[in-house]
Amino acid sequence: MTQRKRIIRDAALVGVSTALLGITAPFTASATTADPAGTLTWTDCGGGAVDPRQQCATLQVPMDYADPGSPRIDIAVSRIRSEDPDARRGTLLLIPGGPGGSSLGDPSGKGQKLPREVRDAYDLVGFAPRGLAPSTAVDCGLETADLATSRLRPWPAPDGSIDGNLDTARRVTDACVRDGGELMRHLSTANEARDLDRLRAALGERKISAWGVSYGTYVGAVYAQLFPHRTDRVVLDSNDDPDPTRVARAWLAGHEQGVDDTFPEFAAWASQPGNPDRVALRAADVRPRFLRLAAELDRTPVPWPGANPEELNGNVLRQTMLDSLYRPSAYPTLARLMRAAAQGTVPPAPQAPPESVLQNVTAVGVGTLCNDVAWPKSPAVYRKAVAESRAKYPLTAGMPRNAMVCAAWPHPPREAPVRITDRGPSNVLLVQNERDVATPLSGARKMREALGRRAVMVTVDSTGHNAYLANGNACGDRTVSRFLATGQRPSADLYCDRP
């Protein structure tokens, strides 16, 4: 199996909390065609899980857009051409979530869920963002223990102390500054948007359409702000709060409301008669049971060989709750862990992606989040915020307002965050589930407000992260598909009720 093929395959195996990649290496192809713009050479990506129609290429971009003599870095790109050249409108760029997500496999993956009229209208193009293998990659060489999601997410200690989180922030920052290389300084959302405009030009497109998901909505909005007249039809799915004063701090804080919006759906499911994973007789009992279990595991963790960390403690349960609320199909994972914990046992350790993938994804996330905006340095700011959050939102135990790695990041941002405004063409469609643990409706409304006349928002009465062709409903899917295929957009904001 070729290296590129393995990386695209791995992209399908990494869950929503991490993302995808692999290791930078050359790959062999059996056929090549020159791009019309003359700057991309398309090759067969290989077989396996990749659609044989999918082609791969490498785009070179500046590491530092402010320095004309900056070294060039590689951006890995993929595409599947329009299925009907006579109906082709242009290119639909698939912008992944993250930071740390890849859409390199998406033309073969979720792109094939698009209705035929959309696949006819566009070449589907994916990419691995700067820093993410097989693009020129970064790595901080972190200790394995620091790759645990329950440690990278800043869950406070059982008594609310954040001293351990500050220690983790300093340790991870020191490693990334020491081992991450110069590229770590140039990972940012604005630079990703600039890379995408270089890709647009290399594809020979005057304008480009996009479907951005989760963090990809912020990337898409920043692109539309920096290059408004290079946009055609833009879909932003599961939207981040674009507050330029906080950026990722606002996204982390959004988990408070996201969990409160979504947990009742889990509780209703987890109390249904006949459910083999039922955890309580009544929905009203599920929340207090979860909180009791988390507190018990805070006091007395259960050994969990093969997991990272190798114990089931309260914060591991809380992190499992957060991960499981991303989509209803993951509810059994949380319910089974709650049932096992109540009996003092554990299920088999969850399968983790390869450590090289986790190292790379984590480094991309650290660089992007910390370079986008300055985080407060004072521990007192976080201690006060965590105490307030724990009192108001016990399910998330203060984590959403705590100190992430960026609290110890030594480098100030090279530029101010991009402020999203209503300046530009009115060609944006937002689609948003009403109950979304990661990008709650409250944050999506702020994106809608920022875009103003440029956007219309479709709110879907559904639960889960990612709406279009994922956890939404038929009404929302029809509305987005119609817009991509024909340009027809609702004349005003729309609510899609449950069928």
Side-chain angles (χ1 to χ4, degrees):
M1 182 181 289
T2 65
Q3 185 67 27
R4 179 66 60 95
K5 183 166 56 177
R6 183 180 299 111
I7 290 164
I8 294 173
R9 177 207 63 189
D10 286 348
L13 300 177
V14 181
V16 291
S17 297
T18 43
L20 257 322
L21 355 164
I23 303 162
T24 305
F27 67 100
T28 340
S30 57
T32 64
T33 56
D35 183 85
T39 56
L40 293 173
T41 299
W42 292 101
T43 73
D44 291 342
C45 298
V50 179
D51 189 308
R53 297 172 300 164
Q54 182 167 306
Q55 298 174 302
C56 291
T58 300
L59 173 72
Q60 288 202 325
V61 299
M63 180 187 294
D64 181 358
Y65 281 93
D67 177 7
S70 169
R72 268 30 185 180
I73 59 173
D74 291 342
I75 303 296
V77 185
S78 63
R79 77 172 177 190
I80 291 181
R81 284 192 174 277
S82 159
E83 298 184 21
D84 181 355
D86 292 336
R88 183 185 182 277
R89 177 180 179 83
T91 291
L92 179 65
L93 188 62
L94 308 173
I95 307 179
S102 171
S103 61
L104 204 58
D106 284 355
S108 295
K110 75 174 189 178
Q112 296 309 303
K113 296 181 181 179
L114 290 162
R116 178 63 189 264
E117 59 268 26
V118 177
R119 302 198 312 273
D120 285 348
Y122 300 99
D123 295 345
L124 306 179
V125 171
F127 65 101
R130 58 169 52 208
L132 197 63
S135 299
T136 303
V138 291
D139 188 317
C140 296
L142 301 179
E143 300 172 13
T144 300
D146 283 335
L147 294 170
T149 308
S150 58
R151 180 170 288 185
L152 290 170
R153 292 285 179 95
W155 297 99
D159 63 356
S161 168
I162 68 167
D163 292 346
N165 307 113
L166 294 171
D167 288 343
T168 297
R170 287 187 285 266
R171 190 169 55 251
V172 172
T173 289
D174 288 347
C176 288
V177 170
R178 181 184 66 243
D179 300 330
E182 181 63 18
L183 180 53
M184 285 288 295
R185 299 289 310 279
H186 301 282
L187 301 177
S188 71
T189 302
N191 279 340
E192 183 173 333
R194 295 179 181 114
D195 293 344
L196 295 183
D197 201 55
R198 291 292 180 106
L199 176 57
R200 174 202 57 76
L203 291 166
E205 300 286 4
R206 187 174 63 87
K207 294 185 176 183
I208 201 161
S209 294
W211 172 17
V213 179
S214 192
Y215 166 68
T217 64
Y218 183 60
V219 176
V222 168
Y223 181 85
Q225 188 68 37
L226 294 178
F227 307 101
H229 298 295
R230 298 298 189 187
T231 59
D232 187 11
R233 297 169 184 168
V234 179
V235 172
L236 304 182
D237 175 355
S238 305
N239 292 269
D240 276 323
D241 179 349
D243 182 351
T245 66
R246 297 193 299 162
V247 190
R249 286 179 60 215
W251 311 339
L252 188 68
H255 285 97
E256 293 173 333
Q257 191 61 54
V259 168
D260 265 20
D261 289 346
T262 308
F263 195 90
E265 297 291 307
F266 167 74
W269 172 89
S271 58
Q272 288 176 354
N275 182 349
D277 298 313
R278 192 179 192 188
V279 300
L281 296 179
R282 301 182 308 155
D285 296 330
V286 175
R287 179 185 171 108
R289 171 163 287 197
F290 174 86
L291 292 172
R292 282 197 306 272
L293 275 173
E296 290 167 6
L297 291 169
D298 283 338
R299 293 188 294 270
T300 312
V302 178
W304 202 356
N308 186 15
E310 288 199 325
E311 66 176 25
L312 172 56
N313 57 41
N315 283 340
V316 171
L317 181 66
R318 294 180 184 101
Q319 182 61 48
T320 303
M321 177 266 296
L322 195 63
D323 292 342
S324 299
L325 295 184
Y326 270 69
R327 59 194 186 281
S329 62
Y331 289 173
T333 300
L334 174 58
R336 290 166 191 168
L337 190 59
M338 289 177 63
R339 287 165 62 91
Q343 298 170 10
T345 63
V346 290
Q351 183 179 3
E355 183 163 321
S356 61
V357 171
L358 294 177
Q359 291 279 7
N360 186 205
V361 171
T362 301
V364 172
V366 169
T368 306
L369 298 178
C370 299
N371 291 332
D372 267 3
V373 69
W375 288 54
K377 303 300 182 189
S378 169
V381 171
Y382 298 106
R383 290 191 176 102
K384 180 175 184 293
V386 165
E388 293 172 351
S389 181
R390 286 168 66 84
K392 189 173 181 181
Y393 299 96
L395 285 171
T396 46
M399 182 277 292
R401 298 195 214 176
N402 201 358
M404 288 191 73
V405 176
C406 306
W409 194 244
H411 306 300
R414 291 174 177 265
E415 58 185 317
V418 175
R419 180 179 293 275
I420 306 304
T421 73
D422 64 355
R423 294 191 296 275
S426 183
N427 61 354
V428 181
L429 179 65
L430 311 184
V431 59
Q432 178 70 37
N433 281 345
E434 196 166 13
R435 295 167 296 279
D436 183 331
V437 69
T439 55
L441 179 59
S442 55
R445 285 173 171 155
K446 292 179 180 177
M447 178 71 87
R448 172 69 184 89
E449 180 181 3
L451 287 166
R453 54 164 290 279
R454 299 191 65 184
V456 170
M457 186 160 86
V458 180
T459 303
V460 182
D461 185 5
S462 191
T463 303
H465 184 54
N466 300 1
Y468 180 49
L469 304 180
N471 299 300
N473 66 22
C475 164
D477 290 351
R478 281 195 307 271
T479 304
V480 176
S481 295
R482 185 184 307 117
F483 172 63
L484 287 174
T486 70
Q488 183 180 346
R489 195 179 63 166
S491 58
D493 290 353
L494 176 69
Y495 185 81
C496 280
D497 209 341
R498 297 191 195 210

